[in-house]
Amino acid sequence: MADADNRLAVSRIVLLGPPGAGKGTQAAFLAEAMGVPAISTGDMLRQAVERGSALGQRVQKIMNSGALVDDGTMADVVTDRLQQGDAQDGFLLDGYPRTLDQAHTLSGILEALQESLDAVVLITVDEDELVKRALARGRQDDKEEIIRERLRVYREKTEPLVGHYEAAGLLRRVDGDQSIEAVTAELRSVLS
Ligand code: AMP
């Protein structure tokens, strides 16, 4: 149940789902409803690339190929971000974790902060629809062959997280093949 403040009961959430499922869009709405920051590792890396920082220079090629940045680099990025003040009362992670190693790193980070995840929401969308959406979005890493590669990497590296979080009793599923408003409503309902 949402309280009078219109905030959701849970506060440490991971959004899981293939590229193009609408995680970023939904993260923005949800973060507002929850009063916690939406943390997108993809956005953080893109900003590093734009700034031309050492991190940005190191990850640019990898990102443009549709591959994943290595787990060690991502552990540094996320550890640093979750220690910042605005994430102490909760956060919405969009695009992290993406491998089992990252899921273990995340629980380690949270354990050290004496916290734990409240929920992992899987947003599912049909693959052809994902390709159509990604092409319409037109980002630099959104050429069809790169999109297919990102989906292949998702299935190989990230999909095992579904079973991992299901076994932990944290997984909730939302049908992402609906209007943005309908997905938001379903998300709010599975998190209430
Ligand atoms: P996204 O915007 O979440 O789709 O991320 C864009 C790109 O950034 C991905 O294709 C990866 O190359 C990289 N990236 C973002 N998050 C991660 C992560 N958790 N692990 C590895 N690479 C990531």
Side-chain angles (χ1 to χ4, degrees):
M1 273 275 283
D3 61 21
D5 208 5
N6 205 27
R7 299 223 166 144
L8 295 167
V10 288
S11 57
R12 295 186 177 89
I13 297 174
V14 164
L15 284 187
L16 199 60
K23 297 189 297 296
T25 307
Q26 297 298 336
F29 290 134
L30 265 183
E32 165 102 38
M34 293 164 56
V36 300
I39 299 176
S40 156
T41 46
D43 282 351
M44 290 172 75
L45 296 176
R46 276 185 289 279
Q47 282 158 15
V49 170
E50 260 167 52
R51 279 198 305 272
S53 68
L55 170 67
Q57 290 178 23
R58 196 144 49 81
V59 302
Q60 183 166 29
K61 257 213 195 116
I62 301 169
M63 291 178 74
N64 288 341
S65 74
L68 293 183
V69 173
D70 67 280
D71 291 332
T73 299
M74 295 313 300
D76 291 344
V77 167
V78 169
T79 302
D80 191 58
R81 183 63 187 88
L82 290 181
Q83 280 169 354
Q84 287 171 31
D86 65 337
Q88 297 318 301
D89 291 334
F91 52 78
L92 211 111
L93 274 172
D94 158 19
Y96 189 96
R98 254 176 158 99
T99 65
L100 278 170
D101 183 273
Q102 293 181 10
H104 296 310
T105 297
L106 177 61
S107 30
I109 297 170
L110 294 177
E111 220 168 279
L113 295 168
Q114 295 185 314
E115 295 168 1
S116 59
L117 281 181
D118 293 312
V120 175
V121 185
L122 173 67
I123 306 181
T124 55
V125 180
D126 165 81
E127 179 154 341
D128 286 340
E129 174 65 23
L130 289 173
V131 175
K132 221 166 64 188
R133 287 188 192 181
L135 287 171
R137 190 169 59 172
R139 222 166 58 188
Q140 199 188 354
D141 54 355
D142 280 349
K143 286 194 219 85
E144 178 154 357
E145 123 205 16
I146 310 273
I147 296 161
R148 298 267 179 209
E149 173 61 11
R150 280 156 53 80
L151 286 170
R152 192 192 63 72
V153 170
Y154 173 78
R155 282 193 302 269
E156 181 188 320
K157 305 258 171 69
T158 310
E159 226 162 43
L161 295 185
V162 174
H164 173 78
Y165 284 125
E166 199 154 42
L170 289 171
L171 196 78
R172 308 182 193 187
R173 293 169 196 268
V174 162
D175 174 13
D177 236 330
Q178 320 176 67
S179 69
I180 289 176
E181 297 74 21
V183 176
T184 307
E186 207 176 309
L187 265 165
R188 293 193 59 118
S189 140
V190 301
L191 290 173
S192 294

